[in-house]
Amino acid sequence: MAIAKRCAPDAEEDPWDAHSTIMTWASSILLAIIFLIVLGVSTIWLTVHPRQLQYAVEDVLVSNFHLDLNRSHLVTANFSIKMSTNNSNHRVTFTYESMNVSVKIRDRILASANGPPLFHDKDKFKEFRVNLTSNNVELHGSTLKALKETNSLEGIKINVIIEARVKFKALHWKQDHCRIQIFCGEVEAHSQGKAFKQTNCDVEL
């Protein structure tokens, strides 16, 4: 009489092991994607290697200056500002959509005007001029005191502030609507015929 050999039933697959395998594959794919993103950004950064823009005030002429020292304390003046900017980037260009230039003493704006439209190509040095008029601006307190102290035969010490909206293009990649803020402090506006010392500016991009 043949004795039937009892076969062991097929082992069932553990669902936990299948879930772990899927999670492992998902983690590997996610890490690979993160690695590729970091590698791409690093490659762009090393290729473009963006450098900060450089700005300087080359000259500031003041004319028709008048400060009323009576009770009104009004100041009137014309300012002609010559600026220079240097883009030392080899692969980045800047297009200025708008530019506002202000002349300040302390926190008081004496004059404000729009700057010219600019296209700043790579590895380029550019110069531009902005004319501003201060028409009967009333001053008080520390601002008036500062103007009295700085108003001399040598000139008037002012701050030049520029706020610009730009597009920059690096290779085939664009970043739209960035803002540039330029601060040029303790600039000595002078009358015609006086020497002027170039003033470098702080740039925040």
Side-chain angles (χ1 to χ4, degrees):
M1 180 177 174
I3 300 176
K5 192 172 181 180
R6 204 170 171 185
C7 297
D10 295 338
E12 295 183 0
E13 185 178 358
D14 190 348
W16 177 255
D17 291 340
H19 180 73
S20 299
T21 302
I22 293 173
M23 291 298 295
T24 301
W25 276 102
S27 299
S28 300
I29 293 172
L30 181 60
L31 288 174
I33 293 173
I34 294 174
F35 174 77
L36 291 174
I37 292 174
V38 172
L39 180 63
V41 172
S42 300
T43 302
I44 292 174
W45 179 264
L46 292 174
T47 302
V48 174
H49 191 58
R51 297 181 177 92
Q52 185 67 279
L53 293 173
Q54 298 171 333
Y55 276 81
V57 180
E58 300 293 337
D59 195 17
V60 180
L61 289 174
V62 59
S63 60
N64 301 323
F65 178 82
H66 177 70
L67 175 61
D68 184 356
L69 295 177
N70 296 322
R71 297 180 64 181
S72 56
H73 297 155
L74 301 178
V75 61
T76 299
N78 295 326
F79 299 93
S80 181
I81 304 175
K82 182 180 179 182
M83 300 286 303
S84 68
T85 174
N86 184 39
N87 178 17
S88 59
N89 291 284
H90 303 308
R91 297 177 179 85
V92 183
T93 60
F94 295 85
T95 301
Y96 289 70
E97 296 180 320
S98 64
M99 179 189 294
N100 180 263
V101 183
S102 300
V103 169
K104 287 185 176 182
I105 292 184
R106 297 288 178 91
D107 294 329
R108 180 62 165 150
I109 297 178
L110 296 183
S112 181
N114 292 326
L118 294 176
F119 173 71
H120 208 169
D121 204 355
K122 47 187 176 291
D123 292 319
K124 290 294 183 181
F125 175 86
K126 294 182 89 64
E127 292 183 340
F128 61 93
R129 187 176 289 275
V130 182
N131 297 316
L132 309 93
T133 298
S134 176
N135 188 16
N136 290 329
V137 177
E138 189 172 5
L139 302 180
H140 294 287
S142 60
T143 305
L144 178 62
K145 181 181 179 181
L147 182 58
K148 289 179 181 179
E149 291 174 350
T150 60
N151 180 18
S152 66
L153 295 176
E154 297 298 324
I156 306 164
K157 287 187 179 180
I158 60 174
N159 297 325
V160 178
I161 314 295
I162 299 178
E163 295 182 348
R165 187 181 185 187
V166 302
K167 290 182 181 179
F168 72 86
K169 183 177 181 181
L171 299 178
H172 300 292
W173 178 66
K174 282 187 178 180
Q175 174 73 40
D176 292 336
H177 309 306
C178 292
R179 293 190 178 275
I180 298 178
Q181 293 184 327
I182 300 105
F183 177 80
C184 316
E186 295 296 307
V187 180
E188 194 168 271
H190 64 97
S191 58
Q192 188 71 40
K194 298 290 184 179
F196 182 83
K197 183 179 180 181
Q198 183 192 65
T199 303
N200 293 323
C201 307
D202 296 324
V203 181
E204 182 179 340
L205 174 61

